[in-house]
Structures are given as C-alpha cells and as structure tokens.
Amino acid sequence: MARKSVNVAVVGATGAVGDEFLRLFELRKYPIADLKLLASERSAGKKVKYLGKEYTVEKLTADSFKGVEHAFFSAGGSISKEFAPAAAKAGAIIIDNTSAFRYEKEIPLVVPEINPEDAFKFGARRIVANPNCTTIVALMPTFPLHKAFGLKRAVMSSYQAISGAGAQAMAELEQQTRDWAAGRPMTIKVAPKQIAFNVIPRIDVIQDNGYTKEEMKFLWEGQKIMHHDSLRATATCVRVPVLRSHSVSLNLEFEKPVTAEQAREILRKAPGVIVQDDPRNEIYPIPLERTMKDDVGVGRIRQDISVPDNKGLCLWAVGDQLAKGAALNAIQIGELLLTKP
Amino acid sequence: MARKSVNVAVVGATGAVGDEFLRLFELRKYPIADLKLLASERSAGKKVKYLGKEYTVEKLTADSFKGVEHAFFSAGGSISKEFAPAAAKAGAIIIDNTSAFRYEKEIPLVVPEINPEDAFKFGARRIVANPNCTTIVALMPTFPLHKAFGLKRAVMSSYQAISGAGAQAMAELEQQTRDWAAGRPMTIKVAPKQIAFNVIPRIDVIQDNGYTKEEMKFLWEGQKIMHHDSLRATATCVRVPVLRSHSVSLNLEFEKPVTAEQAREILRKAPGVIVQDDPRNEIYPIPLERTMKDDVGVGRIRQDISVPDNKGLCLWAVGDQLAKGAALNAIQIGELLLTKP
C-alpha cells in the first residue's frame, strides 16, 4: 500500500519509549517526511541517529509543532496536557502515550486490533490516546475471546518489568544486581523498595478504594476499548525483577461455555497474538523471549475449574510493554490514520 | 509449659529445608533428647553443627529409626514412601514434608493454626502430612476470613521463590546473576528456562486438565485442610527471580458481604498472620522482608470491585516458604503432638 509521507514529532525522544519509537519507525518503514525529536531542556542538544542520519534533540516549546502531522507524546501526563493544545493548533494529530486524556469521554482510546474505528474520532482536540501497557497486553488475547463467548468478569494479576517505570528504574535494577554480585550494599532510589531478588505489589498511586491507579486502568480502559460498560474487572499489579516485557495471569468468566481448545483456535487466528501453549514441552510465553517481539504471547490456556458450567478460562499472556504496550501500539494508530486521507 | 523430650530424626538433613529444621529447632527450643541427621549415601558423612555440637550425617536405611519418636521427612516423595513404613514400625510419628501421602483420605494434612485437631489422627500408619508451601502461605490469611464470611471461591496467582525448587535451583539463580554481572553467558540446568531477569509460569508437572500439580495442590489441600469440600479454587503458579519467600495474589469470594476494614480486624487477631497494610506509606509484605520471619504477612487488602454485593476481597500475602511453608509448619505439628501424652 503506497502511503503518503508525514512530518513526525516524538515528544520524550530520549526516554525508554522514545528509543522504541525510533527502532520501530525504522523496522516498519514509517513514512516519515520530516522527523523532529523533542524533549525537556535537560535532554536538548543530545544527538540521536535514525536511518544513518544524525538528529539533534530539540527543546520542546509551544512553537515546536509547525508543520507536524503526527505528534507522538511520551513524556508524562503533565507535558501532554501542557503541549497537546499547541500541537493540535498547529494541525498535528496527537497520539498520546500518557494517561492524561485516556478517561475523557470524547478522546478515543485505541488498540488497533480491537477498536480501530475509534482512531478516526480524534475530533477537534485531535488526540488519540494510547492505552496503558499492562492493559494492552491483557486485552490482546482477552478481546477475541470476549467476542466469541461474552466476557463477564476478568481477574488479573501482573508481573511487570522494571522498564515500565522508566529507563532510570531499569538502570537501578541493573546496578542493584551488579552490587549484589560484587558483594556491595545496594542503593534504592527510583523504586520504593529494592527490586533485585524481590517483588513489589504497589505500582502507581493508591486510590480511595485501595486499588492502585495502575490496577484501576485495567477496568477503566478495558471497558472503554472493548465498548463493554458492564464488564467487571479487578487487577493486582506487581513489579518483578525483569528488565523488559510484562506478564499477566488472567482468570476470565464468560456468558457462554468455552473449552481450552476452542479458545486456542480463536487465539491462533487473532491478529497480534501468538499461541505458545505446550507446557509439557516447556512452551509458554516468557518475558525474556517476548522482548522486542510484536505479538503478545499467550499460553497455559485451560478451563478454569473454579467456574461452574465450563464458563471460565485461565491464561497467561506476555508482551513487550515498550513495544506493543507503548510505541508499537502508538505507531499502529498512526498507520491506521494514514489509511484514510 | 514443660515438655517431655523426644528423639528426633531429620530425613533430608542436608537440603534447603533440612537447614531450616536445625535453625528452627534451636530458635524454638524443640525438646530434643537425641538428634539423628539422615540423608542419601551422597551426603552421608557430612558434618553439621547443632547447638554447638557436631553431628555426622548418616546414610538413611530401614534401620535408621530405632528409638526415634518424631521423624521429619523432607527428601522427596519416593524416599518418604520407601522409608515411612520402617519409621512407623519403629514407633516414630512421621511428619512428612513431601506430597507422598497428602491426598490419602486417612492421612491428616495439617496447618496448626487451621486444623490442629487433625494432627492427632495419625492412625496406624503414624503419618501426619505437611502441606504444600504455597498453599500454606495462601491459606494462613484465607482461613480466618473463611470462618467469618464463608469462602465460596478463591483465585490465586503466585510469585514463587527459586528456593522452592531446592538448594541447587537457588544456586543456579545466584550463578546466573553473577554471570550476567560479569558479562558471561549463563548456564541453564535446574530450572526449565533462565530464571534471572525472567519469570516461568510452569512449576511441577502438567496434569490432564492443563493445570500443573503445584496449582492443583491449592484446591486439593485447601479443601482438605479447611474441611471445605465445596470450595472452588484455581491457581496459576509462577516462578520469579526471588531467592526466598513466596508471594500470592488472592481474589476471594464469600457467602456474606465483607469490608476491607472487617477483614483487617479479623486478620489482626489471626495467629501466625501479620497485617502490613498501609500502601500509601509503602507498607505491604515483600519477600525480602518476610524471609526468616514466622508470620505470613498480608496487605493490599481491599474490596474486590468485580464481585457484586461487596462479597469479594483482594489481598496479597507473603511467607517464608522454607519456614512457615515447610520446616516451621512441620515443627509446629511436632509441638502440637507433644501437648498430648
């Protein structure tokens, strides 16, 4: 498909997700006419290579968006709130990877394999929101099953990589690991507790109902993306000492009965999903092997024996949260927008 | 309480759980008259210190149990099956930490805080079974809530430390970590996949229904220990790169409505449980801090918003699976048996 070229800006070009944007633009041959890399004053002036050409990271200002058509924001919610209006005014469509706008009724929240039609409803504010990374990984295998069997309730427990907390948190796990190997005391600065050889059951801020915001996103975003307002969902989000790729344990309850084999058949045909389900031969998705892969891996598919009438499934899904959980999903939204003039 | 002294044997004295027996015998002043340390031929002759005295590990044979009154078995199911009859014939009570006898109707399966009365039903085979480590950690906070609100269904996802797979697996994680820090390639021998910087969603063998045996233990043992045959339960068991202490994410559904504060009140009074639940101030149980602690920590207690009529709870529990999940629970069974002549 011939695609017109667009002028692209990346806001937050020097972060963990920023790196992913450049890797995936290249891999997917994103039709970039002009590329602008934007970041805070602290990172401005940094040199970044893309397709053999050196780019200088520019300081983000309200004037940065002249001529920009696709503006990918990934520099935190407050930056998105401050600069999205300027980008929209300049005529860009904002594909926002933060949670700044996700819960506003008029802003579409899109996973291209699930609700592609919503991407075109960016409206006057010209914003399409990119969902939370863990939510994307969990919904990729859940949605095709919902379509077939009618999802009533989802229970999720996550195993989230440290890079979900940013490049500094990732460096902290690496440093703690080196310190442990050298017999040195460890330093704890970014994560709330030591993450090496530990798990931390608190990601994002605590809400009045005792859930973290990260956990509530699974419900809020799941309902919105799947257009399923009556969905009941709960999550417990946990950081694990993994560098990259999030895993989720899912217990799904459906309107209709479902067998593991029916589920596998549906998931084998689902776009963006790969079934890896032969645990006797050690075939199941793991974070080490899903890293930098586009598809979300799903395995350990079995009937949930605690749900009556064969209406439950257990499954285990793993996806690269910096790719499909962030930059890849955002880029797919951009690609979708390019299909309509 | 004055207690009579008993002659004690530890079968599997040189393993990860064997070490824990000696640490906890000393800490709890277990009234040992004579101590016999038994192991396979490979470990026989090894010297072990206990209370300042040096013991030589003896090779386990059918004649090892003369005069032994409490025989703690922790050397794998096949060893228990082979040697328990000889120990019983010699007059010992066997406290068995393997899964060899747990599912036999006539063999009691005991968590002293839950079903102490069952310990005395060891019968002619003179065996009391010690439950699975993850099951113990999960049931410790679940049972008091079941008594108060009537448990209908439990959904569990685990975060299990590598020492649950034995001392060699623990050494493998340490070696992989050192290799990573030194930039050397890693060796994978004990666990099915690299465990450093990874999670592995397969523990124990796969059953015909797609669950692992480790996962089924939660249902089988939960029903038996709590005398709750109609309990519905499901588990997903996952190995994480943690050296010691297992964590579980639990979603519990009850007959009666329950608030988080009611649950906290009950758990504050529950023996062997410590409530650590102030996540805004980073207070929740984590494996690093529960290691070598007797109590199972419980936190992140909140109403499960996906269960109608306020009849659900989410919680997070962490316990030292070598202590309360294995040696401590077995020793508590022994202590219980000593209370009746």
Side-chain angles (χ1 to χ4, degrees), chain B residues 1-6 25 28-32 331-332 334-336 338-339:
Chain B
M1 175 178 58
R3 297 186 292 187
K4 72 159 188 150
S5 288
V6 282
F25 281 150
R28 300 177 73 88
K29 305 192 196 324
Y30 204 76
I32 297 178
I331 289 174
Q332 288 175 308
E335 290 169 344
L336 199 55
L338 287 169
T339 61

Side-chain angles (χ1 to χ4, degrees), chain B:
Chain B
M1 175 178 58
R3 297 186 292 187
K4 72 159 188 150
S5 288
V6 282
N7 298 327
V8 167
V10 176
V11 178
T14 55
V17 178
D19 288 349
E20 276 304 289
F21 272 113
L22 298 183
R23 181 179 75 83
L24 289 162
F25 281 150
E26 181 167 345
L27 203 69
R28 300 177 73 88
K29 305 192 196 324
Y30 204 76
I32 297 178
D34 183 62
L35 178 63
K36 210 168 222 181
L37 301 179
L38 301 167
S40 65
E41 186 147 30
R42 195 164 38 85
S43 297
K46 236 178 128 176
K47 310 282 184 193
V48 173
K49 275 215 165 160
Y50 177 65
L51 285 179
K53 202 181 138 186
E54 198 174 75
Y55 289 79
T56 303
V57 175
E58 298 171 41
K59 187 193 161 193
L60 170 66
T61 74
D63 299 323
S64 298
F65 299 97
K66 216 183 198 176
V68 169
E69 293 167 276
H70 286 183
F72 295 93
F73 274 71
S74 192
S78 56
I79 297 289
S80 291
K81 279 183 186 156
E82 186 177 348
F83 292 98
K89 210 173 165 189
I93 298 176
I94 294 116
I95 302 169
D96 183 44
N97 194 42
T98 77
S99 64
F101 308 110
R102 284 182 196 152
Y103 313 116
E104 292 187 37
K105 214 177 157 143
E106 70 185 50
I107 305 281
L109 182 66
V110 176
V111 177
E113 291 87 347
I114 299 177
N115 59 336
E117 64 288 354
D118 288 343
F120 301 96
K121 299 172 188 160
F122 49 78
R125 291 169 70 192
R126 303 183 69 74
I127 299 170
V128 182
N130 202 45
N132 170 262
C133 49
T134 311
T135 300
I136 294 177
V137 171
L139 292 187
M140 284 295 290
T142 297
F143 179 69
L145 299 170
H146 165 54
K147 271 203 303 190
F149 307 107
L151 185 65
K152 286 171 68 178
R153 180 183 177 221
V155 177
M156 191 254 274
S157 290
S158 74
Y159 303 67
Q160 297 184 220
I162 190 70
S163 49
Q168 281 186 308
M170 193 162 162
E172 182 168 270
L173 170 57
E174 293 181 331
Q175 189 55 46
Q176 287 178 351
T177 305
R178 275 188 220 101
D179 288 342
W180 177 87
R184 289 188 298 256
M186 290 181 202
T187 310
I188 300 164
K189 270 197 307 197
V190 186
K193 306 271 182 187
Q194 175 185 324
I195 181 61
F197 304 111
N198 199 19
V199 301
I200 306 174
R202 204 277 297 151
I203 299 176
D204 211 336
V205 295
I206 303 289
Q207 311 291 295
D208 287 341
N209 63 2
Y211 283 79
T212 63
K213 193 176 173 197
E214 181 83 357
E215 290 161 352
M216 290 307 298
K217 289 173 184 174
F218 179 56
L219 173 66
W220 296 335
E221 302 186 16
Q223 288 183 337
K224 181 167 179 172
I225 295 165
M226 298 196 291
H227 293 277
H228 185 356
D229 290 347
S230 64
L231 173 67
R232 292 183 282 119
T234 181
T236 298
C237 290
V238 182
R239 195 69 75 191
V240 295
V242 163
L243 289 167
R244 187 163 162 166
S245 293
H246 289 354
S247 307
V248 293
S249 168
L250 285 164
N251 291 78
L252 306 177
E253 295 164 48
F254 298 97
E255 303 281 355
K256 296 181 196 158
V258 45
T259 67
E261 195 42 43
Q262 286 173 326
R264 266 180 225 114
E265 251 171 68
I266 284 166
L267 291 171
R268 273 188 209 110
K269 293 177 202 145
V273 170
I274 181 166
V275 175
Q276 304 180 288
D277 195 17
D278 182 6
R280 282 195 171 90
N281 291 307
E282 307 300 351
I283 292 170
Y284 36 73
I286 54 173
L288 273 185
E289 292 173 2
R290 290 322 301 160
T291 291
M292 297 211 191
K293 303 282 193 344
D294 287 357
D295 295 334
V296 171
V298 58
R300 297 297 325 277
I301 301 163
R302 57 206 192 277
Q303 245 176 9
D304 185 328
I305 52 173
S306 71
V307 178
D309 306 322
N310 304 327
K311 289 180 174 174
L313 283 176
C314 308
L315 44 95
W316 171 259
V318 184
D320 186 331
Q321 94 287 2
L322 297 178
K324 182 59 190 169
L328 173 59
N329 196 76
I331 289 174
Q332 288 175 308
I333 293 172
E335 290 169 344
L336 199 55
L337 293 172
L338 287 169
T339 61
K340 284 196 192 172

Side-chain angles (χ1 to χ4, degrees), chain A residues 36-150:
Chain A
K36 210 169 224 183
L37 301 179
L38 301 167
S40 65
E41 186 146 31
R42 195 164 37 86
S43 298
K46 236 177 127 174
K47 310 280 182 197
V48 173
K49 274 215 166 157
Y50 177 66
L51 285 179
K53 200 181 138 187
E54 195 174 76
Y55 290 80
T56 303
V57 175
E58 297 172 42
K59 187 192 160 192
L60 170 67
T61 73
D63 298 324
S64 299
F65 299 96
K66 218 182 197 175
V68 170
E69 294 166 277
H70 286 182
F72 294 93
F73 274 71
S74 193
S78 57
I79 297 288
S80 290
K81 279 183 186 157
E82 188 177 347
F83 292 97
K89 210 173 164 189
I93 298 177
I94 295 116
I95 302 169
D96 184 43
N97 194 41
T98 77
S99 65
F101 308 109
R102 284 181 197 152
Y103 313 117
E104 291 187 38
K105 214 175 157 136
E106 71 186 48
I107 305 281
L109 183 66
V110 176
V111 177
E113 291 87 349
I114 300 178
N115 59 335
E117 64 288 355
D118 288 344
F120 302 95
K121 300 173 187 159
F122 50 78
R125 291 168 70 192
R126 304 183 69 74
I127 300 170
V128 183
N130 203 45
N132 169 262
C133 49
T134 311
T135 300
I136 294 176
V137 171
L139 291 187
M140 284 295 289
T142 297
F143 179 70
L145 299 171
H146 164 55
K147 270 204 302 190
F149 307 107

Side-chain angles (χ1 to χ4, degrees), chain A residues 119-192:
Chain A
F120 302 95
K121 300 173 187 159
F122 50 78
R125 291 168 70 192
R126 304 183 69 74
I127 300 170
V128 183
N130 203 45
N132 169 262
C133 49
T134 311
T135 300
I136 294 176
V137 171
L139 291 187
M140 284 295 289
T142 297
F143 179 70
L145 299 171
H146 164 55
K147 270 204 302 190
F149 307 107
L151 184 65
K152 287 171 67 179
R153 180 182 178 221
V155 177
M156 190 254 276
S157 291
S158 75
Y159 303 67
Q160 295 184 223
I162 190 70
S163 49
Q168 281 186 307
M170 194 162 162
E172 182 169 271
L173 169 57
E174 293 180 331
Q175 189 55 48
Q176 287 178 351
T177 304
R178 276 189 218 101
D179 288 341
W180 177 87
R184 288 187 299 256
M186 292 180 199
T187 309
I188 301 163
K189 271 198 305 199
V190 185

